[in-house]
Amino acid sequence: MNFVEYVSDRTDDAKSKEILNQALQQIHRIKKIVSNMLVFGAQQSRSNRQLPGARGYPAKLAAAGGELRKNGIQVEVDTADDLPAIRCSADSLQQILINLIINARDALADNRQPVIKIAARPIEGMLELSVTDNGPGIPQEIQTKIFDPFFTTKPPGKGTGLGLSVTRRLVQDVGGSIQVESLLEHGCCLRLQFPQA
Ligand SMILES: Nc1ncnc2c1ncn2[C@@H]1O[C@H](COP(=O)(O)OP(=O)(O)OP(=O)(O)O)[C@@H](O)[C@H]1O
Ligand SMILES: [Mg+2]
């Protein structure tokens, strides 16, 4: 990833830049799949492992927004700077956000005014995080299946169906929970609660 970025930064040739950016996107895709596989394959639950509070995660939320704006998606980040620390590790939080945000981005592929809202707020000893998109939403009949490993509605090669199952596992490992709220034709909201550190 670093080598491709390095070369991309140093070329002025538009065609080369385009190809290198495609390579970079595919490397990101591979990285996401491997990270999800590693969590899925881990036999032992990591719930009793001591995790540091994710310091600076408001900055992570903001950074996640920056990536999407490059895709022409309007991103609204609604978070305070003084959010409470949570027990989730920074790496896990990153993986959770990537999975939710890529799902939202995929759902917005045919949307002419795509919007993703990322919000974080403290409630009753928990930190609530939500990612909301204005895509097609999730049909009622599959809402119970989306957290199952390998459940996907995406074409072969596009989705492995591990994203939400791994996300739920990572959240549950630190004593949190995740729910889906979906309004058909109006979009989808994934809502997560993390215990405060
Ligand atoms: N924001 C969303 N809007 C509409 N449907 C969604 C959204 N998020 C998830 N889904 C549905 O839930 C399914 C499962 O999601 P999950 O992230 O687990 O797997 P995936 O995205 O298909 O593949 P992977 O994440 O492994 O690349 C998706 O295939 C899609 O049908
Ligand atoms: Mg996914």
Side-chain angles (χ1 to χ4, degrees), residues 60-94:
K60 264 196 196 311
L61 299 179
E67 274 299 309
L68 294 167
R69 286 191 188 96
K70 285 191 220 153
N71 286 298
I73 295 173
Q74 185 189 324
V75 186
E76 297 169 16
V77 180
D78 178 9
T79 153
D81 290 333
D82 55 351
L83 289 172
I86 51 175
R87 274 180 57 220
C88 188
S89 72
D91 281 351
S92 293
L93 185 66
Q94 178 120 341

Side-chain angles (χ1 to χ4, degrees), residues 32 36 98-100 102-104 106 152 154 159-164:
K32 189 194 76 165
N36 284 341
I98 284 173
N99 278 318
L100 297 180
I102 289 185
N103 280 349
D106 288 349
T152 181
K154 294 172 190 176
T160 59
L162 282 178
L164 284 179

Side-chain angles (χ1 to χ4, degrees), residues 125-191:
M126 307 288 267
L127 186 278
E128 188 177 83
L129 188 73
S130 62
V131 176
T132 310
D133 65 67
N134 63 343
I138 303 178
Q140 186 78 43
E141 60 273 22
I142 68 164
Q143 279 183 27
T144 51
K145 298 186 188 146
I146 58 170
F147 296 105
D148 293 348
F150 303 111
F151 176 82
T152 181
T153 58
K154 294 172 190 176
K158 176 100 177 140
T160 59
L162 282 178
L164 284 179
S165 108
V166 160
T167 297
R168 182 168 68 177
R169 170 112 156 240
L170 290 171
V171 179
Q172 288 179 344
D173 274 358
V174 295
S177 54
I178 178 169
Q179 309 87 37
V180 59
E181 286 165 21
S182 178
L183 294 168
L184 214 50
E185 312 291 335
H186 292 281
C188 180
C189 171
L190 270 297
R191 205 179 282 282

Side-chain angles (χ1 to χ4, degrees), residues 28-43:
H28 276 294
R29 211 170 73 83
I30 294 166
K31 189 180 171 197
K32 189 194 76 165
I33 293 171
V34 173
S35 303
N36 284 341
M37 290 281 188
L38 286 174
V39 173
F40 181 74
Q43 291 296 321

